[in-house]
């Protein structure tokens, strides 16, 4: 019914965090590029904005697919109240139960998968850093 609303709320929060992280990183990088050296020595690292963009993509992709699927089955309608489950109080209770069980579990699962992705990426970056250090010596 409305299980996609919980990941959508998380996606909105992650998008706001992504924008804030991106602005902060740009403020940090701006002085480094101010001297005109566009090809400064690149560091092997994954920024927080990059990691958040992965989570944002996972969440928004899932939300859009689920919203389309619910629209296809008539559970989301293009007129108020937009969610067909909000038509009666009994349906609203079932919808809230689904959001609190299925929606939360989907959001937690996607976030956990993102955590694994970040851990694997960080491990690969550490290997790259180690190989770059060996080459410098």
């Amino acid at each position: 019914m409305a299980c996609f609303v919980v990941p959508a709320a998380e996606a909105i929060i992650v998008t706001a965090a992504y924008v804030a992280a991106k602005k902060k990183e740009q403020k940090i990088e701006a002085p480094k590029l101010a001297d005109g050296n566009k090809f400064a020595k690149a560091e092997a690292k994954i920024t927080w904005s990059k990691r958040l963009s992965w989570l944002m993509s996972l969440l928004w992709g899932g939300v859009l697919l689920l919203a389309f699927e619910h629209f296809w089955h008539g559970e989301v309608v293009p007129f108020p109240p937009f969610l067909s489950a909000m038509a009666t109080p009994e349906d609203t209770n079932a919808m809230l139960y689904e959001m609190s069980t299925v929606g939360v579990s989907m959001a937690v699962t996607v976030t956990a998968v993102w955590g694994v992705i970040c851990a694997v990426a960080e491990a690969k970056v550490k290997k790259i850093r180690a190989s770059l250090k060996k080459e410098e010596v």
Side-chain angles (χ1 to χ4, degrees):
M1 288 179 234
C3 57
F4 67 93
V5 174
V6 176
E10 182 184 359
I12 291 168
I13 293 167
V14 168
T15 301
Y18 166 77
V19 169
K22 191 73 171 170
K23 284 183 182 180
K24 185 177 179 181
E25 289 167 4
Q26 287 173 347
K27 284 181 183 178
I28 292 170
E29 290 297 319
K32 292 180 183 176
L33 299 176
D35 62 1
N37 186 4
K38 293 181 183 177
F39 302 105
K41 186 176 178 182
E43 293 181 39
K45 68 176 185 175
I46 302 172
T47 62
W48 267 107
S49 64
K50 186 65 165 174
R51 294 174 192 206
L52 288 173
S53 73
W54 298 338
L55 179 58
M56 199 171 62
S57 297
L58 289 169
L59 288 168
W60 281 120
V63 166
L64 291 174
L65 285 172
L66 279 168
F68 177 74
E69 186 270 334
H70 287 326
F71 180 76
W72 188 267
H73 289 105
E75 296 167 348
V76 175
V77 291
F79 48 84
F82 302 112
L83 298 171
S84 61
M86 293 178 69
T88 66
E90 296 82 23
D91 289 342
T92 302
N93 286 337
M95 177 192 70
L96 292 174
Y97 178 77
E98 181 182 343
M99 286 171 61
S100 65
T101 55
V102 177
V104 170
S105 64
M106 285 189 314
V108 168
T109 302
V110 169
T111 306
V113 167
W114 169 74
V116 171
I117 291 170
C118 287
V120 169
E122 187 61 33
K124 288 190 178 234
V125 167
K126 283 183 181 180
K127 283 178 93 173
I128 291 170
R129 278 192 214 131
S131 68
L132 288 174
K133 277 188 175 183
K134 286 182 181 177
E135 288 178 10
E136 287 178 0
V137 174

